[in-house]
Coordinates of all heavy atoms in Angstrom, one line a residue:
H123 N 0.8 -1.2 0.1 CA 0.0 0.0 -0.1 C 0.9 1.3 0.0 O 2.0 1.3 0.6 CB -0.9 0.1 1.2 CG -2.0 -1.0 1.3 ND1 -2.9 -1.0 0.4 CD2 -2.1 -2.1 2.1 CE1 -3.7 -2.1 0.6 NE2 -3.1 -2.9 1.7
L124 N 0.3 2.3 -0.5 CA 1.1 3.6 -0.7 C 0.3 4.6 0.1 O -0.9 4.9 -0.1 CB 1.3 4.1 -2.0 CG 1.9 5.3 -2.2 CD1 3.2 5.3 -1.6 CD2 2.0 5.7 -3.7
F125 N 0.8 5.2 1.3 CA 0.2 6.2 2.1 C 0.8 7.5 1.8 O 1.8 7.8 2.1 CB 0.3 5.7 3.6 CG -0.2 4.5 3.9 CD1 0.6 3.3 3.8 CD2 -1.5 4.3 4.4 CE1 0.1 2.1 4.3 CE2 -2.0 3.1 4.7 CZ -1.3 2.0 4.6
K126 N -0.2 8.3 1.2 CA 0.2 9.7 0.8 C -0.2 10.7 1.7 O -1.2 10.5 2.6 CB -0.3 10.1 -0.6 CG 0.3 9.0 -1.6 CD -0.2 9.4 -3.0 CE 0.4 8.6 -4.1 NZ -0.1 9.1 -5.4
A127 N 0.3 11.9 1.6 CA -0.2 13.3 2.4 C 1.1 13.8 3.2 O 1.2 14.9 3.2 CB -1.3 13.1 3.2
H128 N 1.9 12.9 3.7 CA 3.0 13.4 4.5 C 4.1 14.0 3.5 O 4.1 13.7 2.3 CB 3.6 12.4 5.4 CG 4.1 11.3 4.6 ND1 3.5 10.4 3.9 CD2 5.5 10.8 4.7 CE1 4.3 9.5 3.4 NE2 5.5 9.7 3.9
Q129 N 4.9 14.8 4.1 CA 6.0 15.5 3.3 C 7.4 15.1 3.9 O 7.6 15.7 5.0 CB 5.8 17.0 3.2 CG 6.9 17.7 2.6 CD 6.6 19.2 2.7 OE1 5.8 19.7 3.2 NE2 7.5 19.9 2.1
N130 N 8.1 14.4 3.2 CA 9.5 14.1 3.7 C 10.5 14.2 2.5 O 10.4 13.5 1.6 CB 9.6 12.7 4.3 CG 8.7 12.5 5.5 OD1 8.6 13.4 6.3 ND2 8.1 11.4 5.5
T131 N 11.2 15.3 2.6 CA 12.1 15.7 1.4 C 13.6 15.5 1.8 O 14.4 15.6 1.0 CB 11.8 17.0 1.0 OG1 12.0 18.0 2.1 CG2 10.4 17.2 0.5
S132 N 13.9 15.4 3.0 CA 15.4 15.3 3.4 C 15.6 13.9 3.9 O 14.8 13.0 3.7 CB 15.8 16.3 4.4 OG 15.1 16.0 5.6
K133 N 16.7 13.7 4.7 CA 17.0 12.4 5.2 C 16.6 12.1 6.6 O 17.1 11.2 7.3 CB 18.5 12.2 5.1 CG 19.0 12.3 3.7 CD 20.6 12.1 3.5 CE 20.9 12.2 2.0 NZ 22.3 11.9 1.9
N134 N 15.6 13.0 7.1 CA 15.2 12.8 8.4 C 14.3 11.5 8.5 O 13.7 11.1 7.7 CB 14.1 13.9 8.8 CG 14.9 15.2 9.0 OD1 16.0 15.2 9.4 ND2 14.2 16.3 8.6
F135 N 14.6 10.7 9.6 CA 13.8 9.4 9.8 C 12.5 9.7 10.5 O 12.5 10.4 11.5 CB 14.7 8.5 10.6 CG 14.1 7.3 10.9 CD1 13.9 6.3 9.9 CD2 13.5 6.9 12.2 CE1 13.4 5.0 10.3 CE2 12.7 5.8 12.5 CZ 12.8 4.9 11.5
I136 N 11.5 9.3 9.9 CA 10.2 9.6 10.3 C 9.6 8.2 10.8 O 9.3 7.3 9.9 CB 9.2 10.2 9.2 CG1 9.9 11.5 8.8 CG2 7.9 10.5 9.8 CD1 10.2 12.6 9.8
R137 N 9.3 8.0 12.0 CA 8.8 6.7 12.6 C 7.3 6.7 12.4 O 6.5 7.6 12.7 CB 9.2 6.5 14.0 CG 8.7 5.3 14.5 CD 9.2 5.1 15.9 NE 10.5 4.4 15.8 CZ 11.2 4.2 17.0 NH1 10.8 4.5 18.1 NH2 12.3 3.5 16.9
T138 N 6.8 5.4 12.0 CA 5.3 5.3 12.0 C 5.0 4.0 12.9 O 5.8 3.3 13.3 CB 4.7 5.0 10.6 OG1 5.5 3.7 10.1 CG2 5.2 6.1 9.6
S139 N 3.7 4.0 13.3 CA 3.3 2.9 14.1 C 1.8 2.6 13.9 O 1.0 3.4 13.5 CB 3.4 3.2 15.6 OG 2.6 4.2 16.0
F140 N 1.4 1.3 14.0 CA 0.0 0.8 13.9 C -0.7 1.2 15.2 O -0.2 1.2 16.2 CB -0.1 -0.7 13.7 CG 0.3 -1.0 12.3 CD1 1.5 -1.5 12.0 CD2 -0.8 -1.1 11.4 CE1 1.8 -2.0 10.7 CE2 -0.4 -1.6 10.1 CZ 0.9 -2.0 9.8
G141 N -2.1 1.6 14.9 CA -2.9 1.8 16.1 C -3.3 0.6 16.8 O -2.9 -0.6 16.5
P142 N -3.9 0.8 18.0 CA -4.3 -0.3 19.0 C -5.0 -1.5 18.3 O -4.6 -2.7 18.5 CB -5.3 0.4 20.0 CG -4.9 1.8 19.9 CD -4.5 2.1 18.5
N143 N -5.9 -1.4 17.3 CA -6.6 -2.5 16.7 C -6.0 -2.7 15.3 O -6.6 -3.4 14.4 CB -8.1 -2.3 16.7 CG -8.4 -1.1 15.8 OD1 -7.6 -0.4 15.2 ND2 -9.8 -0.7 15.9
E144 N -4.9 -2.1 14.9 CA -4.2 -2.1 13.7 C -5.0 -1.8 12.5 O -4.6 -2.1 11.3 CB -3.6 -3.6 13.5 CG -2.6 -3.9 14.5 CD -1.8 -5.2 14.2 OE1 -2.0 -5.8 13.2 OE2 -0.9 -5.5 15.1
S145 N -6.0 -1.0 12.7 CA -6.8 -0.5 11.6 C -6.3 0.9 11.1 O -6.6 1.5 10.1 CB -8.3 -0.3 11.8 OG -8.5 0.7 13.0
L146 N -5.4 1.6 11.8 CA -4.8 2.9 11.6 C -3.3 2.9 11.7 O -2.6 2.0 12.4 CB -5.3 3.9 12.8 CG -6.7 4.2 12.7 CD1 -7.1 5.2 13.9 CD2 -7.3 5.0 11.5
I147 N -2.7 3.7 10.9 CA -1.3 3.9 11.0 C -1.1 5.4 11.3 O -1.8 6.3 10.6 CB -0.4 3.5 9.6 CG1 -0.6 2.1 9.4 CG2 1.0 4.0 9.7 CD1 0.1 1.5 8.2
A148 N -0.2 5.7 12.2 CA 0.2 7.1 12.5 C 1.7 7.3 12.1 O 2.6 6.4 12.2 CB 0.1 7.3 14.0
G149 N 1.9 8.5 11.5 CA 3.3 8.7 11.1 C 3.6 10.2 11.2 O 2.6 11.0 11.0
G150 N 4.8 10.6 11.4 CA 5.2 12.0 11.4 C 5.5 12.5 10.1 O 5.6 11.7 9.1
S151 N 5.8 13.8 9.9 CA 6.1 14.4 8.6 C 6.9 15.6 8.9 O 7.0 16.3 9.9 CB 4.8 14.8 8.0 OG 5.0 15.5 6.8
E152 N 7.7 16.0 7.8 CA 8.4 17.2 7.8 C 7.6 18.5 7.8 O 8.2 19.5 8.0 CB 9.5 17.2 6.8 CG 10.5 16.2 6.9 CD 11.7 16.2 5.9 OE1 11.4 16.9 4.8 OE2 12.7 15.6 6.1
D153 N 6.3 18.4 7.5 CA 5.5 19.6 7.6 C 5.0 20.0 8.8 O 4.2 20.9 9.0 CB 4.3 19.5 6.5 CG 3.3 18.4 6.9 OD1 3.5 17.7 7.9 OD2 2.3 18.1 6.1
G154 N 5.4 19.3 9.9 CA 5.1 19.6 11.3 C 3.8 19.0 11.8 O 3.2 19.4 12.9
R155 N 3.3 18.0 11.0 CA 2.1 17.3 11.4 C 2.3 15.8 11.5 O 3.2 15.3 11.0 CB 1.0 17.7 10.3 CG 0.7 19.1 10.3 CD -0.3 19.3 9.1 NE -0.8 20.7 9.1 CZ -0.1 21.7 8.5 NH1 1.0 21.5 7.9 NH2 -0.6 22.9 8.5
A156 N 1.5 15.2 12.2 CA 1.3 13.7 12.2 C 0.1 13.4 11.5 O -0.9 14.2 11.5 CB 1.3 13.2 13.7
Y157 N 0.1 12.3 10.7 CA -1.0 11.9 9.9 C -1.4 10.5 10.4 O -0.7 9.6 10.7 CB -0.7 11.8 8.4 CG -0.4 13.2 7.8 CD1 0.9 13.7 7.9 CD2 -1.3 13.8 7.2 CE1 1.1 14.9 7.4 CE2 -1.2 15.1 6.7 CZ 0.1 15.6 6.7 OH 0.2 16.9 6.2
L158 N -2.9 10.3 10.3 CA -3.4 8.9 10.5 C -4.0 8.5 9.4 O -4.9 9.3 8.8 CB -4.4 9.1 11.7 CG -4.0 9.7 13.1 CD1 -5.3 9.7 14.0 CD2 -2.8 9.0 13.6
W159 N -3.6 7.3 8.9 CA -4.2 6.7 7.8 C -5.1 5.4 8.1 O -4.7 4.7 9.1 CB -3.1 6.2 6.9 CG -2.3 7.3 6.2 CD1 -2.5 7.8 5.0 CD2 -1.0 7.7 6.7 NE1 -1.5 8.8 4.8 CE2 -0.6 8.8 5.7 CE3 -0.2 7.5 7.9 CZ2 0.6 9.4 5.9 CZ3 0.9 8.2 7.9 CH2 1.4 9.1 7.0
D160 N -6.1 5.3 7.3 CA -6.8 4.0 7.4 C -6.0 3.0 6.6 O -5.6 3.1 5.5 CB -8.2 4.2 6.8 CG -9.1 2.9 6.9 OD1 -8.8 2.0 6.1 OD2 -10.1 2.9 7.6
V161 N -5.8 1.9 7.3 CA -4.9 0.8 6.7 C -5.7 0.2 5.4 O -4.9 -0.1 4.5 CB -4.6 -0.4 7.7 CG1 -3.9 -1.6 7.0 CG2 -3.9 0.1 8.9
N162 N -6.9 0.1 5.4 CA -7.6 -0.5 4.3 C -7.7 0.3 3.1 O -7.6 -0.2 1.9 CB -8.9 -1.1 4.8 CG -8.9 -2.2 5.8 OD1 -8.0 -3.1 5.7 ND2 -9.7 -2.1 6.8
T163 N -8.0 1.7 3.4 CA -8.2 2.6 2.2 C -7.0 3.3 1.8 O -6.9 3.9 0.8 CB -9.4 3.5 2.5 OG1 -8.9 4.4 3.6 CG2 -10.7 2.7 2.9
C164 N -6.1 3.4 2.8 CA -4.8 4.2 2.5 C -5.1 5.8 2.6 O -4.3 6.5 2.2 CB -4.0 3.9 1.3 SG -3.4 2.2 1.4
F165 N -6.3 6.2 3.1 CA -6.7 7.5 3.1 C -6.4 8.2 4.4 O -6.4 7.4 5.4 CB -8.1 7.7 2.8 CG -8.6 7.5 1.4 CD1 -9.5 6.6 1.1 CD2 -7.9 8.1 0.3 CE1 -9.9 6.3 -0.2 CE2 -8.3 7.8 -1.0 CZ -9.3 6.9 -1.3
V166 N -6.0 9.4 4.4 CA -5.9 10.2 5.6 C -7.0 10.4 6.4 O -8.0 10.9 5.7 CB -5.2 11.5 5.4 CG1 -5.1 12.3 6.7 CG2 -3.7 11.3 4.9
V167 N -7.2 10.0 7.6 CA -8.5 10.2 8.3 C -8.3 11.2 9.3 O -9.3 11.9 9.8 CB -9.0 8.8 9.1 CG1 -9.4 7.7 8.1 CG2 -7.9 8.3 10.1
Q168 N -7.2 11.6 9.8 CA -7.0 12.9 10.6 C -5.6 13.3 10.5 O -4.7 12.6 10.1 CB -7.2 12.4 12.1 CG -8.5 12.4 12.5 CD -8.8 12.1 14.1 OE1 -8.0 12.5 14.8 NE2 -10.0 11.8 14.4
T169 N -5.4 14.6 10.6 CA -4.2 15.3 10.7 C -4.0 16.0 12.0 O -4.9 16.6 12.5 CB -4.2 16.4 9.5 OG1 -4.5 15.8 8.3 CG2 -2.9 17.2 9.5
L170 N -2.9 15.9 12.6 CA -2.6 16.4 14.0 C -1.4 17.3 13.9 O -0.4 17.1 13.3 CB -2.2 15.2 14.8 CG -3.2 14.1 14.9 CD1 -2.5 13.0 15.7 CD2 -4.5 14.4 15.4
G171 N -1.6 18.4 14.5 CA -0.5 19.4 14.5 C -0.8 20.6 13.7 O -1.7 20.7 12.9
S172 N 0.2 21.6 13.9 CA 0.0 22.9 13.0 C 1.4 23.3 12.3 O 1.3 24.6 12.0 CB -0.4 24.0 14.0 OG 0.5 24.1 15.1
G173 N 2.1 22.4 12.2 CA 3.4 22.8 11.4 C 4.4 23.5 12.1 O 4.9 24.5 11.5
S174 N 4.8 23.1 13.3 CA 5.9 23.8 14.1 C 7.2 23.0 13.9 O 8.1 23.2 14.9 CB 5.5 23.9 15.5 OG 5.3 22.7 16.1
G175 N 7.6 22.5 12.8 CA 8.8 21.7 12.5 C 8.7 20.3 12.4 O 7.4 19.7 12.7
P176 N 9.6 19.5 11.9 CA 9.3 18.0 11.6 C 8.8 17.2 12.9 O 9.2 17.5 14.0 CB 10.6 17.6 11.2 CG 11.4 18.8 10.7 CD 10.9 19.9 11.6
V177 N 7.9 16.3 12.6 CA 7.5 15.3 13.7 C 8.3 14.1 13.2 O 8.0 13.5 12.3 CB 5.9 15.2 13.7 CG1 5.6 14.1 14.6 CG2 5.3 16.5 13.9
Y178 N 9.2 13.7 14.2 CA 9.9 12.4 13.9 C 9.4 11.2 14.3 O 9.8 10.2 13.8 CB 11.3 12.7 14.5 CG 12.1 13.8 14.0 CD1 12.6 14.8 15.0 CD2 12.4 14.0 12.6 CE1 13.4 15.9 14.5 CE2 13.1 15.1 12.2 CZ 13.6 16.0 13.1 OH 14.2 17.1 12.7
S179 N 8.4 11.2 15.3 CA 7.8 9.8 15.8 C 6.4 10.1 16.2 O 6.0 11.1 16.6 CB 8.7 9.4 17.0 OG 8.3 8.2 17.4
A180 N 5.7 8.9 15.9 CA 4.3 8.9 16.4 C 4.0 7.5 17.0 O 4.3 6.6 16.2 CB 3.4 9.2 15.2
Q181 N 3.7 7.4 18.2 CA 3.5 6.1 18.8 C 2.3 6.0 19.6 O 1.9 6.8 20.4 CB 4.7 5.9 19.8 CG 4.9 4.6 20.5 CD 5.1 3.5 19.3 OE1 6.0 3.6 18.6 NE2 4.3 2.4 19.5
W182 N 1.6 5.0 19.4 CA 0.2 4.7 20.0 C 0.3 4.2 21.4 O 1.4 3.3 21.6 CB -0.6 3.7 19.2 CG -1.1 4.2 17.9 CD1 -0.5 4.1 16.6 CD2 -2.3 5.0 17.7 NE1 -1.3 4.7 15.7 CE2 -2.3 5.3 16.3 CE3 -3.4 5.5 18.5 CZ2 -3.4 6.1 15.8 CZ3 -4.2 6.2 17.9 CH2 -4.4 6.5 16.6
N183 N -0.5 4.4 22.3 CA -0.6 3.8 23.5 C -1.4 2.4 23.3 O -2.5 2.5 22.7 CB -1.4 4.6 24.6 CG -1.6 4.0 25.9 OD1 -2.1 2.9 25.9 ND2 -1.3 4.7 26.9
A184 N -1.0 1.3 23.6 CA -1.6 0.0 23.3 C -2.9 -0.2 23.9 O -3.7 -0.9 23.3 CB -0.6 -1.1 23.6
N185 N -3.3 0.5 24.9 CA -4.6 0.2 25.6 C -5.6 1.3 25.5 O -6.7 1.2 25.9 CB -4.3 0.0 27.1 CG -3.4 -1.1 27.4 OD1 -3.4 -2.1 26.9 ND2 -2.4 -1.0 28.4
Q186 N -5.3 2.4 24.8 CA -6.3 3.5 24.7 C -6.1 4.1 23.3 O -5.1 3.8 22.6 CB -5.9 4.6 25.7 CG -6.1 4.1 27.2 CD -5.7 5.2 28.2 OE1 -5.7 6.4 27.9 NE2 -5.3 4.8 29.3
S187 N -7.0 5.1 23.1 CA -6.9 5.9 21.7 C -6.0 7.0 22.0 O -6.3 8.1 21.5 CB -8.3 6.2 21.3 OG -9.0 5.0 21.0
L188 N -4.9 6.9 22.6 CA -3.9 8.0 22.8 C -2.7 7.7 21.8 O -2.3 6.6 21.6 CB -3.4 8.1 24.2 CG -4.5 8.5 25.3 CD1 -3.9 8.4 26.7 CD2 -5.0 9.9 24.9
L189 N -2.2 8.9 21.4 CA -1.1 8.9 20.5 C -0.1 10.0 21.0 O -0.4 11.1 21.3 CB -1.5 9.2 19.1 CG -0.3 9.4 18.1 CD1 0.1 8.0 17.7 CD2 -0.9 10.0 16.8
A190 N 1.2 9.6 21.1 CA 2.3 10.5 21.4 C 3.1 10.8 20.2 O 3.4 9.9 19.4 CB 3.1 10.0 22.6
T191 N 3.4 12.1 20.0 CA 4.3 12.6 19.0 C 5.4 13.5 19.5 O 5.2 14.0 20.6 CB 3.5 13.4 17.9 OG1 3.0 14.7 18.6 CG2 2.4 12.7 17.3
C192 N 6.5 13.4 18.8 CA 7.7 14.4 19.2 C 8.3 14.7 17.9 O 8.2 14.0 16.9 CB 8.7 13.5 20.1 SG 9.5 12.1 19.4
G193 N 8.9 15.8 18.1 CA 9.5 16.4 16.8 C 10.8 17.3 17.1 O 11.2 17.3 18.2
H194 N 11.1 18.0 16.2 CA 12.2 19.0 16.0 C 12.2 20.0 17.2 O 13.2 20.5 17.6 CB 12.4 19.5 14.6 CG 13.7 20.3 14.5 ND1 15.0 19.6 14.4 CD2 14.0 21.6 14.5 CE1 15.9 20.5 14.3 NE2 15.3 21.6 14.3
D195 N 11.1 20.4 17.6 CA 11.0 21.5 18.6 C 11.2 21.0 20.0 O 11.2 21.8 20.9 CB 9.6 22.2 18.4 CG 8.4 21.2 18.8 OD1 8.6 20.1 19.1 OD2 7.3 21.7 18.8
G196 N 11.4 19.7 20.2 CA 11.8 19.1 21.5 C 10.5 18.9 22.4 O 10.8 18.4 23.5
A197 N 9.4 19.1 21.8 CA 8.2 18.8 22.7 C 7.6 17.4 22.4 O 7.6 17.0 21.2 CB 7.0 19.8 22.4
A198 N 7.2 16.8 23.5 CA 6.3 15.5 23.2 C 4.9 15.9 23.5 O 4.5 16.7 24.5 CB 6.8 14.4 24.2
R199 N 4.0 15.7 22.5 CA 2.7 15.9 22.6 C 1.7 14.6 22.6 O 2.1 13.6 22.0 CB 2.3 16.7 21.4 CG 2.8 18.1 21.4 CD 2.5 19.0 20.3 NE 2.9 20.3 20.4 CZ 4.2 20.7 20.0 NH1 5.0 19.9 19.4 NH2 4.6 22.0 20.2
T200 N 0.7 14.6 23.5 CA -0.2 13.5 23.4 C -1.6 13.9 22.8 O -2.0 15.2 22.9 CB -0.5 13.0 24.9 OG1 -0.9 14.0 25.7 CG2 0.8 12.4 25.4
W201 N -2.2 13.0 22.0 CA -3.3 13.2 21.3 C -4.3 12.2 21.6 O -4.0 11.0 21.7 CB -3.0 13.3 19.8 CG -2.0 14.2 19.3 CD1 -0.6 13.9 19.4 CD2 -2.0 15.6 18.9 NE1 0.1 14.9 18.9 CE2 -0.8 16.0 18.6 CE3 -3.2 16.4 18.5 CZ2 -0.5 17.2 18.2 CZ3 -2.9 17.7 18.2 CH2 -1.6 18.2 17.9
R202 N -5.6 12.6 21.6 CA -6.7 11.6 21.8 C -7.3 11.4 20.4 O -7.9 12.4 19.8 CB -7.7 12.0 22.8 CG -8.7 11.1 23.1 CD -9.7 11.5 24.1 NE -9.1 12.0 25.3 CZ -8.4 11.3 26.3 NH1 -8.4 10.1 26.2 NH2 -7.9 11.9 27.3
Y203 N -7.5 10.1 19.9 CA -8.0 9.9 18.7 C -9.5 9.7 18.9 O -10.0 9.0 19.7 CB -7.5 8.6 18.0 CG -8.2 8.1 16.9 CD1 -8.1 8.8 15.7 CD2 -9.1 7.0 16.9 CE1 -8.9 8.5 14.5 CE2 -9.9 6.6 15.7 CZ -9.7 7.4 14.6 OH -10.4 7.0 13.5
D204 N -10.3 10.4 18.0 CA -11.8 10.3 18.0 C -12.2 10.2 16.6 O -12.1 11.2 15.8 CB -12.4 11.5 18.7 CG -13.9 11.4 18.8 OD1 -14.5 10.6 18.1 OD2 -14.5 12.2 19.6
E205 N -12.8 9.1 16.1 CA -13.1 8.9 14.8 C -14.2 9.8 14.3 O -14.4 10.0 13.1 CB -13.4 7.4 14.4 CG -14.7 6.9 15.2 CD -14.9 5.5 15.1 OE1 -13.9 4.7 14.9 OE2 -16.0 5.0 15.1
D206 N -15.0 10.5 15.2 CA -16.1 11.3 14.9 C -15.7 12.7 14.7 O -16.4 13.6 14.3 CB -17.2 11.2 15.9 CG -17.7 9.9 16.0 OD1 -17.9 9.2 15.1 OD2 -18.2 9.5 17.2
K207 N -14.4 13.1 14.9 CA -13.8 14.4 14.7 C -12.9 14.4 13.6 O -12.0 13.5 13.5 CB -13.2 15.0 16.0 CG -14.2 15.1 17.2 CD -13.5 15.7 18.4 CE -14.6 15.8 19.4 NZ -14.1 16.3 20.7
P208 N -12.9 15.5 12.8 CA -11.9 15.6 11.6 C -10.4 15.8 12.1 O -9.5 15.5 11.2 CB -12.5 16.7 10.8 CG -13.2 17.5 11.8 CD -13.8 16.6 12.8
L209 N -10.3 16.3 13.3 CA -8.9 16.6 13.6 C -8.8 16.0 15.1 O -9.7 16.1 15.9 CB -8.7 18.1 13.8 CG -8.6 18.8 12.3 CD1 -8.4 20.3 12.6 CD2 -7.5 18.4 11.5
G210 N -7.5 15.7 15.4 CA -7.2 15.1 16.8 C -7.3 16.2 17.8 O -7.1 17.3 17.5
Q211 N -7.6 15.8 19.0 CA -7.6 16.7 20.0 C -6.4 16.6 20.9 O -6.1 15.4 21.4 CB -8.9 16.3 21.0 CG -8.9 17.1 22.3 CD -10.0 16.7 23.2 OE1 -10.6 15.6 23.0 NE2 -10.2 17.2 24.3
R212 N -5.5 17.7 21.1 CA -4.3 17.5 21.7 C -4.7 17.5 23.2 O -5.4 18.2 23.8 CB -3.5 18.9 21.5 CG -2.2 18.7 22.2 CD -1.1 19.8 21.8 NE -1.5 20.8 20.9 CZ -0.7 21.7 20.5 NH1 0.5 21.7 21.0 NH2 -1.1 22.6 19.6
V213 N -4.0 16.5 24.0 CA -4.2 16.3 25.4 C -3.2 17.2 26.1 O -3.6 17.7 27.1 CB -4.2 14.8 25.7 CG1 -4.4 14.7 27.2 CG2 -5.3 14.0 24.9
S214 N -2.0 17.1 25.8 CA -1.1 17.8 26.6 C 0.3 18.0 25.8 O 0.6 17.2 24.7 CB -0.7 17.1 27.9 OG 0.0 15.9 27.5
D215 N 1.2 18.9 26.2 CA 2.5 19.1 25.7 C 3.5 18.9 26.9 O 3.2 19.3 28.0 CB 2.8 20.6 25.2 CG 1.9 20.8 23.8 OD1 1.2 19.9 23.3 OD2 2.0 22.0 23.4
H216 N 4.7 18.3 26.5 CA 5.8 18.2 27.4 C 7.0 18.6 26.8 O 7.4 18.0 25.7 CB 5.8 16.8 28.0 CG 4.6 16.3 28.7 ND1 4.2 16.7 30.0 CD2 3.6 15.5 28.1 CE1 3.0 16.1 30.2 NE2 2.6 15.4 29.1
V217 N 7.7 19.6 27.4 CA 9.0 20.1 26.8 C 10.1 19.8 27.7 O 9.9 19.7 28.8 CB 8.9 21.5 26.5 CG1 10.2 22.1 26.0 CG2 7.7 22.0 25.7

């Protein structure tokens, strides 16, 4: 499958991970956002963030619909996934 929408133009390593029930993939991007893709359709279902520097990693909590991201700005952010909302809800920032 080919998952489009993220932007990676340099040699930065962008980590992705499967969601709790493996129906979603989360991945960072150089455009400062994390993207959530539906595994079956390969479509973006949510975009997280506002473009404050590359997001290098996106990791799911195995027991909940929580996602942690970290990026170039040095902050770790947690997000709550809600399939009924077009954008993720940021839970907290940790610098």
Side-chain angles (χ1 to χ4, degrees):
H123 294 293
L124 181 61
F125 297 92
K126 295 183 178 182
H128 65 298
Q129 176 186 357
N130 295 320
T131 58
S132 70
K133 295 181 181 180
N134 293 323
F135 178 75
I136 308 295
R137 176 178 273 179
T138 60
S139 67
F140 282 94
N143 62 7
E144 297 190 4
S145 65
L146 297 172
I147 293 179
S151 176
E152 289 182 351
D153 67 1
R155 296 173 176 86
Y157 291 87
L158 304 183
W159 290 272
D160 180 289
V161 171
N162 295 317
T163 66
C164 300
F165 290 124
V166 172
V167 295
Q168 286 193 10
T169 304
L170 311 172
S172 60
S174 61
V177 175
Y178 296 127
S179 183
Q181 185 65 44
W182 290 96
N183 177 311
N185 298 320
Q186 300 177 25
S187 294
L188 292 176
L189 177 73
T191 60
C192 64
H194 189 73
D195 62 2
R199 294 179 172 86
T200 54
W201 307 85
R202 185 175 313 281
Y203 172 70
D204 183 346
E205 63 186 27
D206 296 327
K207 295 183 180 180
L209 295 174
Q211 175 186 2
R212 186 173 356 185
V213 178
S214 65
D215 288 357
H216 303 283
V217 179

